[in-house]
Amino acid sequence: SGIDARIIFYGVAGTGKTMTAYSLAKSLKRQVLVFDCSKILSMYVGESEKNVRKIFDDFRDIASKSKTEPILLLNEADQFLSSRTSATSSADKMHNQMQNIFLEQIERFEGILIATTNLLENIDSAFSRRFNYKVEFKKPIKSQRIELWNKMLPKNAEYEKEFDVEKLSNYELTG
């Protein structure tokens, strides 16, 4: 208890960012309150801003009622973390307003917050400064792919005769 950390996991899709957040929660014996940021945006004026506030309000409400504080996981946080633009249209102004609310909520956040993104290079510097830790998830190299699949694939499953982890590892796939 009493851990305050704002962490961003970034890297290629499929490299285990979300899975790592769940593993971290399991090792800390905490629940995960997860929000898919791509579903927060609304076409209605003011709704996106309300949705952002609701994420953090719901977290505080659930945390106050729980024995152990959950971890807040913001998946696909690219929507909020991108660089702000000079607002020329009303849509730009609303997006910037939503980002400002998000910045304010992150600043005031107490607990463990993990955001995932594929695009760290697009992050606004104001957001970047608010994260204590930035952890890159790289595509695994061939030896890592072999190790991952040998650990994760069921030992007693029936596979096609041609299936071979060594051959499969020649393809530059994520884990």
Side-chain angles (χ1 to χ4, degrees):
S1 67
I3 300 173
D4 284 333
R6 289 176 225 97
I7 306 164
I8 188 157
F9 290 163
Y10 68 96
V12 179
T15 51
K17 296 179 292 291
T18 302
M19 185 173 79
T20 300
Y22 280 102
S23 294
L24 179 63
K26 186 176 180 180
S27 70
L28 293 172
K29 296 178 176 58
R30 295 183 185 213
Q31 295 295 315
V32 176
L33 183 59
V34 62
F35 288 95
D36 182 347
C37 294
S38 66
K39 293 184 171 77
I40 293 166
L41 298 178
S42 174
M43 62 186 218
Y44 298 106
V45 175
E47 283 300 310
S48 296
E49 293 90 335
K50 276 191 224 173
N51 291 343
V52 170
R53 282 191 184 99
K54 185 169 174 23
I55 289 171
F56 292 92
D57 290 345
D58 286 353
F59 176 83
R60 283 188 283 275
D61 184 49
I62 290 169
S64 71
K65 296 174 183 173
S66 300
K67 290 179 188 173
T68 58
E69 190 174 84
I71 291 175
L72 179 57
L73 174 59
L74 302 174
N75 254 339
E76 309 297 333
D78 313 80
Q79 313 280 342
F80 300 115
L81 304 176
S82 63
S83 294
R84 289 171 287 179
T85 60
S86 56
T88 54
S89 70
S90 58
D92 290 341
K93 288 176 187 172
M94 285 190 320
H95 189 73
N96 285 349
Q97 178 64 25
M98 181 190 59
Q99 286 183 303
N100 290 338
I101 292 167
F102 197 68
L103 277 167
E104 174 190 316
Q105 294 295 327
I106 290 175
E107 186 73 30
R108 294 180 19 206
F109 186 80
E110 293 178 5
I112 299 174
L113 179 147
I114 300 173
T116 67
T117 181
N118 299 338
L119 307 166
L120 187 70
E121 60 276 3
N122 293 352
I123 289 183
D124 189 288
S125 60
F127 283 110
S128 187
R129 286 191 303 270
R130 284 170 173 80
F131 286 96
N132 312 78
Y133 306 98
K134 296 173 191 87
V135 181
E136 182 178 12
F137 286 69
K138 295 180 181 179
K139 239 182 189 179
I141 61 173
K142 182 176 180 167
S143 62
Q144 292 168 328
R145 289 191 295 273
I146 291 170
E147 185 178 350
L148 276 169
W149 290 325
N150 282 330
K151 281 183 182 177
M152 301 304 284
L153 292 173
K155 304 290 182 236
N156 57 353
E158 293 184 27
Y159 298 106
E160 295 291 325
K161 282 188 218 177
E162 296 82 36
F163 180 81
D164 179 6
V165 170
E166 289 286 333
K167 285 181 189 174
L168 183 62
S169 68
N170 289 323
Y171 297 97
E172 290 191 26
L173 303 169
T174 59

